[in-house]
Amino acid sequence: MLRESRILKGMNQTDIRTDLSDVLEGVLVLHKEAGWTSHDVVAKVRSLLRGSKVGHAGTLDPSATGVLPILVGRATRIAEYLIDWDKEYHAVMRLGETTDTQDATGQVLSRVDPGAITEDMLQAVIAQFRGVQQQLPPMYSAVKVGGQPLYKAARAGRTVDRAERSIVIHQLEIVAVHGRDVALRIVCSKGTYIRTLCTDIGQALGVGGHLYALERRRVGPLSIEQAVTIDQVASHLTMGTLSRQFMSLDQLLVQLPAVVVNAEQAQRVLNGSPIFPMGVGQLPPAHSTVSVRLKDEAGQLLAIGTHDTSGVGSIRIRKVLSLLSH
């Protein structure tokens, strides 16, 4: 914050955007609005933080709203460690209608009166969708088959054979029922299509259904209560308070065990060389290779390494993250 304020003092907006690219990094929890693609959000943040590398973790459909983690600076290099996070959604499932896209943006394919469906029937069917499930990715999705995204084939009117994927529905609860619309709270693994879940539930009930509205409430530890809109990002940038909205790389990787290295080992880490730190023996037991955070004695995050628990105890460096190495 101190450095950010100093940079801001006496600069015009263009200067601010250019120089802050070296200051602001980590994950920004964006509240995506309806009508924006995930790419739109990335492009807008990139234009505000001119000169920064910007990416995202966890695509949201244009019609969906809610948490979209935006990766800035070195955080773009750790996306692979974030994609396994579970996700929480608030969804509205509309019964009695199926669509070609499995959501409200598509063409209606069938209509059935769902009036005979009781809440007891709903509860019984929904219970079948908790736990490990096999889910067929929708045609209108970015899943690639034969190197081509499925949505391209769907737009051309073609259906492509595709394999089911294993997903986990950790929690699935009915929040409210309003006529044909059923509000659901869903906590699920990566790779889960809520559109397909709603379609499958509707099919199991015998009346069909689709996803009518979707809000992502949480991605891993990133919640909607932390989220800021694009307009708020711009305001924070102007006021010099945007750094407060970022989660650091160390915070994001907190699920990885930390190994502290001495000064000599830290230099080897920054050079990308394997090390044999004393802290390896304190790592939690594992059956195979485990990823670890490597930190110096001052608590500075240096790198991500991998420790092969079946080997001789060395840690190989996978990603050097410290600015000290630049």
Side-chain angles (χ1 to χ4, degrees), residues 277-299:
M278 295 296 293
V280 168
Q282 301 172 3
L283 291 175
H287 298 294
S288 59
T289 301
V290 59
S291 295
V292 297
R293 286 175 293 156
L294 293 163
K295 306 176 74 170
D296 65 19
E297 293 172 326

Side-chain angles (χ1 to χ4, degrees), residues 154-168:
R155 289 171 181 171
R158 294 185 290 111
T159 299
V160 176
D161 289 336
R162 57 222 189 263
E164 291 186 330
R165 295 182 167 191
S166 181
I167 61 166
V168 183

Side-chain angles (χ1 to χ4, degrees), residues 24-42:
L24 301 174
E25 69 172 7
V27 165
L28 194 58
V29 188
L30 253 294
H31 191 304
K32 191 187 86 65
E33 301 172 22
W36 290 64
T37 67
S38 299
H39 179 75
D40 290 338
V41 176
V42 168

Side-chain angles (χ1 to χ4, degrees), residues 95-319:
L95 296 176
E97 286 184 356
T98 63
T99 72
D100 57 355
T101 59
Q102 301 185 339
D103 63 16
T105 67
Q107 297 294 316
V108 175
L109 300 177
S110 65
R111 284 191 174 92
V112 174
D113 183 1
I117 302 299
T118 66
E119 187 163 343
D120 286 343
M121 294 168 65
L122 263 174
Q123 293 283 11
V125 168
I126 280 175
Q128 302 171 18
F129 288 87
R130 298 187 183 111
V132 178
Q133 305 285 321
Q134 296 300 309
Q135 189 179 74
L136 188 67
M139 280 302 301
Y140 282 91
S141 70
V143 173
K144 291 184 177 180
V145 175
Q148 185 180 54
L150 288 174
Y151 67 80
K152 290 189 176 180
R155 289 171 181 171
R158 294 185 290 111
T159 299
V160 176
D161 289 336
R162 57 222 189 263
E164 291 186 330
R165 295 182 167 191
S166 181
I167 61 166
V168 183
I169 306 297
H170 300 291
Q171 297 179 45
L172 177 57
E173 305 166 357
I174 297 174
V175 176
V177 179
H178 299 288
R180 59 180 177 164
D181 293 337
V182 182
L184 301 169
R185 176 181 172 270
I186 305 158
V187 179
C188 57
S189 67
K190 69 172 183 177
T192 302
Y193 283 93
I194 306 301
R195 289 181 282 143
T196 302
L197 177 64
C198 291
T199 298
D200 291 346
I201 291 172
Q203 183 176 3
L205 285 165
V207 296
H210 68 268
L211 175 65
Y212 184 70
L214 183 67
E215 179 184 61
R216 188 154 67 192
R217 303 284 302 176
R218 180 177 58 79
V219 176
L222 311 179
S223 70
I224 199 161
E225 286 76 20
Q226 301 167 269
V228 291
T229 65
I230 286 291
D231 286 345
Q232 288 172 327
V233 170
S235 295
H236 279 296
L237 182 60
T238 300
M239 294 185 294
T241 55
L242 187 57
S243 60
R244 299 174 184 173
Q245 305 301 317
F246 279 83
M247 287 187 69
S248 70
L249 275 66
D250 201 29
Q251 290 173 304
L252 293 164
L253 296 169
V254 70
Q255 78 277 11
L256 302 184
V259 174
V260 177
V261 298
N262 60 32
E264 180 183 351
Q265 293 166 338
Q267 194 56 53
R268 289 182 59 83
V269 168
L270 296 180
N271 291 331
S273 302
I275 58 169
F276 297 82
M278 295 296 293
V280 168
Q282 301 172 3
L283 291 175
H287 298 294
S288 59
T289 301
V290 59
S291 295
V292 297
R293 286 175 293 156
L294 293 163
K295 306 176 74 170
D296 65 19
E297 293 172 326
Q300 171 77 31
L301 178 66
L302 302 177
I304 299 172
T306 54
H307 175 232
D308 186 350
T309 55
S310 63
V312 294
S314 68
I315 293 180
R316 295 184 179 276
I317 310 306
R318 285 208 63 219
K319 294 179 185 289

